[in-house]
Amino acid sequence: MSETILHGYWRSSAAYRVRIALGVKGIGYAQVTHDLRAGEQHDPAYLAIAPHGLVPALEHDGDILIESPAILEWIETKWPAPPLLPRSPGDAATVRAMAALIGCDIHPLNNLRVLTQLRSQFDASNAQVKAWIAHWIGAGFGALEQLIDRVGGTFAFGDAPTLADCYLVPQVYNAERYDVDLGDFPRIRATAEAARALPAFAAAHPEVQPDFK
């Protein structure tokens, strides 16, 4: 049986998404850590795997996959049960849109390299960086709260976890790390709590990863 290798970092929310998906599918994997704070993602050996110098990357049976949206779609195709996308094309598109709201509209603006640029090139203070983070999380969560109110159940879409939850739980973790007030987003908080109670989500939590420090 081919070994599945996940290249990541305990605090990377993009790697967190992939850990959740693999856990939901019941797929075992080995982890290789690349400490983003130490710049290990720029090591030539890793760049040979992931030329963009970001985590996660996934290796399986000769395939080398980068970028969490592509990895998650590959996982869903490779191991379709239990599903992380609804069968209806319209419902699947809604779930993908909810995921993209986080993956495209929130996460890139709060990525480590963006925050580093704010500090190094624009002399932003810690308070200004936290305000930046809170602004973009709040803007995205405002829209996502409405979507969950429209299509959510126990989870972000209906009563089974989907790709939307794989994105949401790591983003809520980031919001909590930066003391973002989630008081205006009760559906998001309830959804995250329900997902975190599942074993696959609990096992993917950053602070239980082997490289946590």
PDB file of all heavy atoms in Angstrom, residues 83 86 151-162 165 187 191 194 198:
ATOM      1  N   PRO A  83     -18.434  11.355   1.864  1.00  0.00           N
ATOM      2  CA  PRO A  83     -18.282  12.524   0.995  1.00  0.00           C
ATOM      3  C   PRO A  83     -18.110  13.832   1.769  1.00  0.00           C
ATOM      4  O   PRO A  83     -18.703  14.029   2.828  1.00  0.00           O
ATOM      5  CB  PRO A  83     -19.591  12.547   0.198  1.00  0.00           C
ATOM      6  CG  PRO A  83     -20.577  11.873   1.106  1.00  0.00           C
ATOM      7  CD  PRO A  83     -19.802  10.816   1.840  1.00  0.00           C
ATOM      8  N   PRO A  86     -21.628  17.607  -1.379  1.00  0.00           N
ATOM      9  CA  PRO A  86     -22.958  17.062  -1.680  1.00  0.00           C
ATOM     10  C   PRO A  86     -23.025  16.529  -3.112  1.00  0.00           C
ATOM     11  O   PRO A  86     -22.242  16.938  -3.979  1.00  0.00           O
ATOM     12  CB  PRO A  86     -23.884  18.267  -1.499  1.00  0.00           C
ATOM     13  CG  PRO A  86     -23.095  19.270  -0.726  1.00  0.00           C
ATOM     14  CD  PRO A  86     -21.663  19.045  -1.079  1.00  0.00           C
ATOM     15  N   VAL A 151     -28.064  27.819   4.692  1.00  0.00           N
ATOM     16  CA  VAL A 151     -27.940  26.417   4.244  1.00  0.00           C
ATOM     17  C   VAL A 151     -27.394  25.488   5.326  1.00  0.00           C
ATOM     18  O   VAL A 151     -27.300  24.280   5.116  1.00  0.00           O
ATOM     19  CB  VAL A 151     -27.030  26.307   2.994  1.00  0.00           C
ATOM     20  CG1 VAL A 151     -27.587  27.117   1.841  1.00  0.00           C
ATOM     21  CG2 VAL A 151     -25.594  26.729   3.313  1.00  0.00           C
ATOM     22  N   GLY A 152     -27.031  26.040   6.486  1.00  0.00           N
ATOM     23  CA  GLY A 152     -26.414  25.229   7.510  1.00  0.00           C
ATOM     24  C   GLY A 152     -27.403  24.424   8.329  1.00  0.00           C
ATOM     25  O   GLY A 152     -28.603  24.698   8.353  1.00  0.00           O
ATOM     26  N   GLY A 153     -26.864  23.407   8.978  1.00  0.00           N
ATOM     27  CA  GLY A 153     -27.605  22.627   9.961  1.00  0.00           C
ATOM     28  C   GLY A 153     -26.701  22.498  11.170  1.00  0.00           C
ATOM     29  O   GLY A 153     -26.293  23.498  11.755  1.00  0.00           O
ATOM     30  N   THR A 154     -26.364  21.284  11.514  1.00  0.00           N
ATOM     31  CA  THR A 154     -25.371  21.081  12.558  1.00  0.00           C
ATOM     32  C   THR A 154     -24.020  21.614  12.111  1.00  0.00           C
ATOM     33  O   THR A 154     -23.255  22.160  12.904  1.00  0.00           O
ATOM     34  CB  THR A 154     -25.241  19.579  12.891  1.00  0.00           C
ATOM     35  OG1 THR A 154     -26.516  19.072  13.283  1.00  0.00           O
ATOM     36  CG2 THR A 154     -24.244  19.352  14.015  1.00  0.00           C
ATOM     37  N   PHE A 155     -23.754  21.486  10.807  1.00  0.00           N
ATOM     38  CA  PHE A 155     -22.478  21.920  10.239  1.00  0.00           C
ATOM     39  C   PHE A 155     -22.721  23.077   9.261  1.00  0.00           C
ATOM     40  O   PHE A 155     -23.833  23.582   9.160  1.00  0.00           O
ATOM     41  CB  PHE A 155     -21.770  20.731   9.591  1.00  0.00           C
ATOM     42  CG  PHE A 155     -21.477  19.626  10.574  1.00  0.00           C
ATOM     43  CD1 PHE A 155     -22.305  18.511  10.647  1.00  0.00           C
ATOM     44  CD2 PHE A 155     -20.425  19.732  11.455  1.00  0.00           C
ATOM     45  CE1 PHE A 155     -22.054  17.506  11.573  1.00  0.00           C
ATOM     46  CE2 PHE A 155     -20.167  18.731  12.392  1.00  0.00           C
ATOM     47  CZ  PHE A 155     -20.989  17.619  12.452  1.00  0.00           C
ATOM     48  N   ALA A 156     -21.670  23.501   8.590  1.00  0.00           N
ATOM     49  CA  ALA A 156     -21.780  24.694   7.748  1.00  0.00           C
ATOM     50  C   ALA A 156     -22.802  24.514   6.629  1.00  0.00           C
ATOM     51  O   ALA A 156     -23.504  25.454   6.258  1.00  0.00           O
ATOM     52  CB  ALA A 156     -20.414  25.054   7.174  1.00  0.00           C
ATOM     53  N   PHE A 157     -22.873  23.297   6.093  1.00  0.00           N
ATOM     54  CA  PHE A 157     -23.882  22.976   5.084  1.00  0.00           C
ATOM     55  C   PHE A 157     -24.569  21.697   5.533  1.00  0.00           C
ATOM     56  O   PHE A 157     -23.982  20.607   5.476  1.00  0.00           O
ATOM     57  CB  PHE A 157     -23.249  22.785   3.707  1.00  0.00           C
ATOM     58  CG  PHE A 157     -24.255  22.537   2.610  1.00  0.00           C
ATOM     59  CD1 PHE A 157     -24.683  23.581   1.812  1.00  0.00           C
ATOM     60  CD2 PHE A 157     -24.780  21.273   2.398  1.00  0.00           C
ATOM     61  CE1 PHE A 157     -25.625  23.359   0.809  1.00  0.00           C
ATOM     62  CE2 PHE A 157     -25.712  21.038   1.411  1.00  0.00           C
ATOM     63  CZ  PHE A 157     -26.139  22.080   0.611  1.00  0.00           C
ATOM     64  N   GLY A 158     -25.784  21.805   6.000  1.00  0.00           N
ATOM     65  CA  GLY A 158     -26.539  20.622   6.399  1.00  0.00           C
ATOM     66  C   GLY A 158     -26.021  19.977   7.674  1.00  0.00           C
ATOM     67  O   GLY A 158     -25.405  20.627   8.524  1.00  0.00           O
ATOM     68  N   ASP A 159     -26.246  18.683   7.776  1.00  0.00           N
ATOM     69  CA  ASP A 159     -25.982  17.974   9.021  1.00  0.00           C
ATOM     70  C   ASP A 159     -24.839  16.974   8.922  1.00  0.00           C
ATOM     71  O   ASP A 159     -24.726  16.068   9.753  1.00  0.00           O
ATOM     72  CB  ASP A 159     -27.255  17.263   9.491  1.00  0.00           C
ATOM     73  CG  ASP A 159     -28.331  18.261   9.907  1.00  0.00           C
ATOM     74  OD1 ASP A 159     -27.984  19.250  10.587  1.00  0.00           O
ATOM     75  OD2 ASP A 159     -29.500  18.069   9.529  1.00  0.00           O
ATOM     76  N   ALA A 160     -23.992  17.115   7.931  1.00  0.00           N
ATOM     77  CA  ALA A 160     -22.779  16.303   7.817  1.00  0.00           C
ATOM     78  C   ALA A 160     -21.627  17.239   7.454  1.00  0.00           C
ATOM     79  O   ALA A 160     -21.833  18.242   6.751  1.00  0.00           O
ATOM     80  CB  ALA A 160     -22.938  15.217   6.753  1.00  0.00           C
ATOM     81  N   PRO A 161     -20.428  16.954   7.922  1.00  0.00           N
ATOM     82  CA  PRO A 161     -19.295  17.837   7.600  1.00  0.00           C
ATOM     83  C   PRO A 161     -18.983  17.817   6.113  1.00  0.00           C
ATOM     84  O   PRO A 161     -19.128  16.787   5.442  1.00  0.00           O
ATOM     85  CB  PRO A 161     -18.147  17.258   8.421  1.00  0.00           C
ATOM     86  CG  PRO A 161     -18.532  15.847   8.720  1.00  0.00           C
ATOM     87  CD  PRO A 161     -20.027  15.838   8.800  1.00  0.00           C
ATOM     88  N   THR A 162     -18.571  18.970   5.619  1.00  0.00           N
ATOM     89  CA  THR A 162     -18.200  19.126   4.213  1.00  0.00           C
ATOM     90  C   THR A 162     -16.871  19.875   4.130  1.00  0.00           C
ATOM     91  O   THR A 162     -16.271  20.230   5.144  1.00  0.00           O
ATOM     92  CB  THR A 162     -19.261  19.924   3.438  1.00  0.00           C
ATOM     93  OG1 THR A 162     -19.300  21.272   3.958  1.00  0.00           O
ATOM     94  CG2 THR A 162     -20.645  19.294   3.547  1.00  0.00           C
ATOM     95  N   ASP A 165     -16.501  22.966   6.257  1.00  0.00           N
ATOM     96  CA  ASP A 165     -16.056  22.831   7.642  1.00  0.00           C
ATOM     97  C   ASP A 165     -14.548  22.621   7.723  1.00  0.00           C
ATOM     98  O   ASP A 165     -13.905  23.052   8.688  1.00  0.00           O
ATOM     99  CB  ASP A 165     -16.787  21.673   8.312  1.00  0.00           C
ATOM    100  CG  ASP A 165     -18.289  21.856   8.270  1.00  0.00           C
ATOM    101  OD1 ASP A 165     -18.794  22.722   9.013  1.00  0.00           O
ATOM    102  OD2 ASP A 165     -18.955  21.167   7.482  1.00  0.00           O
ATOM    103  N   ARG A 187     -23.645  31.502  14.484  1.00  0.00           N
ATOM    104  CA  ARG A 187     -23.740  30.280  13.679  1.00  0.00           C
ATOM    105  C   ARG A 187     -22.360  29.715  13.394  1.00  0.00           C
ATOM    106  O   ARG A 187     -22.155  28.497  13.402  1.00  0.00           O
ATOM    107  CB  ARG A 187     -24.487  30.562  12.364  1.00  0.00           C
ATOM    108  CG  ARG A 187     -25.958  30.891  12.509  1.00  0.00           C
ATOM    109  CD  ARG A 187     -26.751  29.790  13.209  1.00  0.00           C
ATOM    110  NE  ARG A 187     -26.636  28.490  12.572  1.00  0.00           N
ATOM    111  CZ  ARG A 187     -27.452  28.038  11.614  1.00  0.00           C
ATOM    112  NH1 ARG A 187     -28.452  28.802  11.180  1.00  0.00           N
ATOM    113  NH2 ARG A 187     -27.295  26.833  11.097  1.00  0.00           N
ATOM    114  N   THR A 191     -21.187  26.052  14.659  1.00  0.00           N
ATOM    115  CA  THR A 191     -20.739  25.102  13.650  1.00  0.00           C
ATOM    116  C   THR A 191     -19.340  24.590  13.975  1.00  0.00           C
ATOM    117  O   THR A 191     -19.063  23.393  13.894  1.00  0.00           O
ATOM    118  CB  THR A 191     -20.746  25.768  12.263  1.00  0.00           C
ATOM    119  OG1 THR A 191     -22.090  26.108  11.914  1.00  0.00           O
ATOM    120  CG2 THR A 191     -20.175  24.849  11.207  1.00  0.00           C
ATOM    121  N   ALA A 194     -19.408  22.132  16.868  1.00  0.00           N
ATOM    122  CA  ALA A 194     -19.927  20.818  16.468  1.00  0.00           C
ATOM    123  C   ALA A 194     -18.871  20.028  15.708  1.00  0.00           C
ATOM    124  O   ALA A 194     -18.696  18.817  15.934  1.00  0.00           O
ATOM    125  CB  ALA A 194     -21.181  20.987  15.615  1.00  0.00           C
ATOM    126  N   LEU A 198     -15.939  16.186  16.619  1.00  0.00           N
ATOM    127  CA  LEU A 198     -15.731  14.961  15.858  1.00  0.00           C
ATOM    128  C   LEU A 198     -14.271  14.513  15.973  1.00  0.00           C
ATOM    129  O   LEU A 198     -13.362  15.341  15.942  1.00  0.00           O
ATOM    130  CB  LEU A 198     -16.076  15.184  14.389  1.00  0.00           C
ATOM    131  CG  LEU A 198     -17.527  15.572  14.086  1.00  0.00           C
ATOM    132  CD1 LEU A 198     -17.689  15.814  12.584  1.00  0.00           C
ATOM    133  CD2 LEU A 198     -18.487  14.491  14.553  1.00  0.00           C
TER     134      LEU A 198
END
